[in-house]
Amino acid sequence: MSWEKNVRRVVPYTPGEQPRGERIIKLNTNENPYPPSAAVLPSLIDIGKGEFRRYPDPKAEDLVEAIAETYGLTKKQVFVGVGSDDVLAMLFLTFFNGGKPVLFPDVTYSFYEVWCDLFRIPYTAKPLDENFHIRTEDYLSPNGGIVLANPNAPTGSLLPLSEIERIVSANADSVVIVDEAYIDFGGESALPLIDKYENLVVVQTFSKSRSMAGLRVGYAMGSERLIRFLQDAKYSFNSYTLSTPIIRAAAAAMRDTEHFQQNCQKIVRTRGRAERRFRELGFCFEESAANFLFVTHPLLPARQIFEYLRGRGIYVRWFDRDRIRNYLRVTIGTDEEMQEFFEVLEGYVYKVRSYGAGEETSC
Ligand SMILES: *Cc1c(COP(=O)(O)O)cnc(C)c1O
């Protein structure tokens, strides 16, 4: 047993279920229901040429350049990694080394507290208000760093850019990470602020709006100085993270802006239709700027709805966590998937409600 006292113990992050099978509708991990840009294909079928005997480009220049061109940045302002989870972990490791606690909301991406535990970073979770909105004032006191998902997950709420700027400008002594995994579905990016604030870093991903969750690509954008520190840590850990075909595929996808925009527009339209259906069935929810809705029903327990749907091959996300135990996070799928989802949900709501006293509900 003696070796066990030297183990770095941590309670791991619990990812959403990844069920396999054809007859399922998967609305539980915010993946994009549409295929990625067709431009990624050639990069992925080049394996036969023998190029992959060699190590990949550790700087992933092709991809870094595509991102820099798309967002009007220099290449030195861009950092890439194996999904934004990899990028975020490296940011925590590099920048959250003060004695003061790192701040993030109590209801947010649950990986933040896991990285803090893993890296032994002190943190304080700041409660969202009763509508699950961030209170800017909570982030104006001394801290060892700040991380905000915007739009937030699992709530979908968007913090206006002016509030982000208030937080960043009041915290020149710490690094502020804005995790924009869902920004392309309707939010205003904090990216224009990186030239003004050296302590701001914006993180985005190919997993959601670019339909490439399985390929694992994410990126950070910030001041050249900040990105240099991040790179120093990364090259001290693992220099060859992205493989050659993935670097090329992601660069090609980034350059296909037309496909990307159409893809996002389709999801935003379907989200609008889903909002109306949820409302008709008596569900309550705040406005979402993401590719999911965070819904609750005044009469029906979320867990029971979750289990009923699951029994019929429809997966949504239910979190066994304080404050949000009676909510479901439902990813926006294709129109056909949402149609099927709502048929099953409607069946459940009517079945259960007909036994009840027929109470009227409102949000
Ligand atoms: C999905 C998600 C990520 C991680 O995405 P990757 O697939 O690792 O790029 C990061 N932050 C939030 C808030 C997310 O929802």
Side-chain angles (χ1 to χ4, degrees), residues 19-171:
R20 305 283 152 181
E22 304 211 332
R23 284 291 309 150
I24 62 156
I25 296 184
K26 198 172 170 309
L27 307 175
N28 69 332
T29 53
N30 298 341
E31 289 138 329
N32 197 304
Y34 300 109
S37 161
V40 306
L41 273 177
S43 341
L44 299 174
I45 56 179
D46 271 358
I47 292 179
K49 290 189 193 159
E51 274 178 283
F52 303 145
R53 291 180 299 108
R54 301 257 167 89
Y55 280 106
D57 170 12
K59 291 186 176 162
E61 291 250 25
D62 190 14
L63 173 57
V64 166
E65 193 175 284
I67 296 169
E69 277 169 10
T70 303
Y71 293 101
L73 306 172
T74 68
K75 289 197 274 181
K76 290 179 177 168
Q77 290 178 295
V78 178
F79 175 90
V80 295
V82 185
S84 51
D85 286 343
D86 178 45
V87 174
L88 287 161
M90 204 45 73
L91 284 165
F92 276 51
L93 183 68
T94 310
F95 297 110
F96 293 166
N97 294 292
K100 294 187 195 117
V102 165
L103 309 180
F104 48 81
D106 63 340
V107 177
T108 191
Y109 190 37
S110 48
F111 226 139
Y112 301 153
E113 63 182 17
V114 175
W115 286 313
C116 284
D117 286 340
L118 176 67
F119 297 135
R120 310 289 186 255
I121 300 166
Y123 66 90
T124 305
K126 296 285 187 180
L128 296 177
D129 73 14
E130 68 283 3
N131 298 317
F132 293 143
H133 294 149
I134 284 171
R135 286 186 281 229
T136 303
E137 305 72 49
D138 287 343
Y139 300 88
L140 304 180
S141 51
N143 60 75
I146 292 173
V147 53
L148 298 173
N150 199 41
N152 196 11
T155 63
S157 295
L158 184 75
L159 189 65
L161 190 56
S162 54
E163 296 301 292
I164 297 275
E165 181 160 14
R166 257 180 86 200
I167 292 169
V168 175
S169 65
N171 285 286

Side-chain angles (χ1 to χ4, degrees), residues 129 172 251 263 296 300 340 362:
D129 73 14
N263 191 332
T296 186
L300 310 174
E340 233 179 296
S362 68

Side-chain angles (χ1 to χ4, degrees), residues 83-85 88 109 112 149 153 179 181-182 205 207-208 216:
S84 51
D85 286 343
L88 287 161
Y109 190 37
Y112 301 153
D179 178 355
Y182 302 102
T205 177
S207 296
K208 278 82 185 221
R216 312 303 303 128

Side-chain angles (χ1 to χ4, degrees), residues 172-362:
D173 287 345
S174 50
V175 167
V176 179
I177 302 173
V178 181
D179 178 355
E180 295 188 346
Y182 302 102
I183 197 72
D184 301 319
F185 300 109
E188 195 179 355
S189 175
L191 195 60
L193 301 179
I194 65 171
D195 286 326
K196 202 164 155 193
Y197 302 100
E198 230 181 21
N199 61 319
L200 169 66
V201 57
V202 174
V203 179
Q204 295 188 2
T205 177
F206 282 72
S207 296
K208 278 82 185 221
S209 55
R210 288 188 168 81
S211 309
M212 289 167 61
L215 297 188
R216 312 303 303 128
V217 185
Y219 50 105
M221 300 169 286
S223 61
E224 293 190 1
R225 193 173 158 75
L226 181 147
I227 294 298
R228 208 175 321 122
F229 284 121
L230 187 59
Q231 249 141 14
D232 288 347
K234 179 240 155 86
Y235 291 125
S236 312
F237 193 79
N238 180 358
S239 19
Y240 301 113
T241 50
L242 290 173
S243 66
T244 303
I246 299 308
I247 292 170
R248 288 191 202 149
M254 181 52 74
R255 292 191 168 104
D256 189 352
T257 43
E258 195 180 319
H259 173 89
F260 162 72
Q261 282 163 359
Q262 285 173 358
N263 191 332
C264 294
Q265 279 162 13
K266 272 194 282 192
I267 290 177
V268 169
R269 277 196 295 267
T270 307
R271 183 179 69 205
R273 287 190 273 269
E275 284 169 356
R276 286 193 289 282
R277 303 277 318 253
F278 273 123
R279 220 170 272 130
E280 285 162 12
L281 294 174
F283 283 86
C284 306
F285 50 90
E286 293 286 307
E287 197 179 330
S288 168
N291 67 337
F292 56 82
L293 291 166
F294 195 53
V295 303
T296 186
H297 196 285
L299 300 175
L300 310 174
R303 185 177 189 164
Q304 282 169 27
I305 305 173
F306 165 74
E307 278 165 2
Y308 179 87
L309 292 170
R310 199 163 174 275
R312 280 149 191 82
I314 298 177
Y315 290 76
V316 300
R317 193 85 190 261
W318 173 73
F319 298 90
D320 192 5
R321 275 181 83 101
D322 288 349
R323 289 195 80 184
I324 59 172
R325 223 168 249 115
N326 206 28
Y327 285 78
L328 296 172
R329 191 194 66 190
V330 181
T331 304
I332 303 301
T334 62
D335 283 323
E336 295 71 32
E337 286 170 327
M338 298 314 280
Q339 181 63 25
E340 233 179 296
F341 164 79
F342 279 112
E343 273 167 27
V344 174
L345 184 64
E346 197 170 86
Y348 178 74
V349 171
Y350 290 159
K351 187 176 84 171
V352 176
R353 295 286 319 266
S354 66
Y355 292 111
E359 317 94 300
E360 277 314 305
T361 65
S362 68

